[in-house]
Amino acid sequence: MILKSRSSVKVTMKSRVEALEEQALKLSAEERAALADRLIASLFQDDEVDRAWAQEVERRVEAIEAGRSSMIPVAEAIAKARAAIG
C-alpha cells in the first residue's frame, strides 16, 4: 500500500499500534510483562554489550567453580546493598 501524505502515515501507524495494544491487553499479566521486557530490550539491543556480558558471566562462573569466588544468598546480597546505600 502506498500512502500519499504524512497524516495518513500517522493514522496507519496509530491503527497498527492500537491493534497491537488491543491484542496485548488480552494476554495474562505474566505474558504482558514478558512482552514488555522483550520490547524494551529490543530498543537497546547492542551485540557488543551482549558479548561483554556473556564473557563476564563466563568469568564469574569460572571463578566460582575454581573456588576463587563464592556465592551468597540473594536476601543477604540485597541486605548488604541496602545497607551500603543507606
Side-chain angles (χ1 to χ4, degrees):
M1 178 166 94
I2 298 175
L3 301 174
K4 294 183 179 182
S5 71
R6 287 179 159 230
S7 61
S8 63
V9 171
K10 289 179 185 174
V11 170
T12 301
M13 289 300 292
K14 185 175 179 182
S15 298
R16 288 179 60 198
V17 170
E18 286 175 345
L20 286 169
E21 179 185 17
E22 184 179 324
Q23 290 178 346
L25 290 173
K26 292 177 184 176
L27 298 171
S28 70
E30 184 177 318
E31 291 169 321
R32 289 193 315 272
L35 176 60
D37 183 54
R38 291 174 74 176
L39 290 171
I40 290 169
S42 75
L43 295 174
F44 304 103
Q45 193 167 9
D46 185 335
D47 291 337
E48 187 175 328
V49 171
D50 291 343
R51 277 192 298 279
W53 271 115
Q55 289 174 343
E56 179 63 14
V57 168
E58 288 177 22
R59 184 192 68 76
R60 291 181 186 193
V61 167
E62 184 180 308
I64 291 167
E65 290 175 346
R68 295 188 310 269
S69 187
S70 61
M71 298 188 308
I72 61 172
V74 69
E76 184 180 335
I78 291 171
K80 285 183 177 185
R82 286 184 175 151
I85 61 175

